[in-house]
Amino acid sequence: MAYSDTLPLWEYTASKTITLAGATGALTIQQPASGARRVRLISAYVECSVDCTVTVERDGAAATGTALTPAKVSPTNPAGTVPAAKAEVYHTSDVGAGTDLTTAITLTPLEGLTLDLRGIYLIGDGAAKNVTIRSSSITGDFSASVRWEEY
């Protein structure tokens, strides 16, 4: 029996472009305080309108910035229904610094980069269980998206 045949598996995405003025940008996906599902990250996409560096961090203090509504992508379960996401996504977030999962990645203007996040899981309740994609301080646009599965 294949893995996806044994558990309901739903896929979601969230994205945001943030205009910054001498500030850092961040997009954070985190578990709710209660009622979480297991989250398996798939990928993230980042782009800046000016030179920037980007890092991926894990398990910073909980974000409480502006929440995004995740979009349902497509079910991979036979039922064909997709419930609302349990994971929370924040932009312009005040998430605390977490453990760096990457070295700083330098991007030139409008050089988009897809980050493979497979192998990163968020399991259990608690908003400090999170992953953040963060830009250096810039004056320009920071665009980021994240894609994940919940089961």
Side-chain angles (χ1 to χ4, degrees):
M1 192 175 315
Y3 180 76
S4 62
D5 294 336
T6 61
L7 293 172
L9 189 65
W10 302 288
E11 191 171 324
Y12 305 90
T13 188
S15 61
K16 183 68 178 176
T17 297
I18 307 161
T19 300
L20 303 167
T24 63
L27 185 74
T28 300
I29 178 170
Q30 70 186 28
Q31 290 287 51
S34 63
R37 290 190 194 106
R38 291 179 179 207
V39 171
R40 178 171 56 189
L41 294 172
I42 300 169
S43 64
Y45 178 82
V46 292
E47 183 178 293
C48 297
S49 64
V50 298
D51 288 337
C52 72
T53 57
V54 174
T55 56
V56 179
E57 304 168 6
R58 181 177 184 123
D59 298 338
T64 60
T66 307
L68 290 171
T69 301
K72 300 171 185 177
V73 176
S74 61
T76 55
N77 66 317
T81 58
V82 182
K86 294 279 188 166
E88 301 168 342
V89 181
Y90 294 89
H91 69 88
T92 320
S93 85
D94 56 352
V95 65
T99 302
D100 286 336
L101 298 179
T102 63
T103 57
I105 302 164
T106 302
L107 299 177
T108 57
L110 304 179
E111 174 191 8
L113 176 66
T114 299
L115 301 165
D116 183 352
L117 301 178
R118 290 175 294 178
I120 301 174
Y121 293 80
L122 301 175
I123 299 173
D125 295 337
K129 294 177 181 177
N130 56 51
V131 171
T132 298
I133 297 100
R134 189 185 309 270
S135 76
S136 57
S137 180
I138 63 170
T139 297
D141 291 338
F142 169 68
S143 298
S145 64
V146 63
R147 192 173 184 124
W148 72 97
E149 295 171 328
E150 295 184 9
Y151 60 98

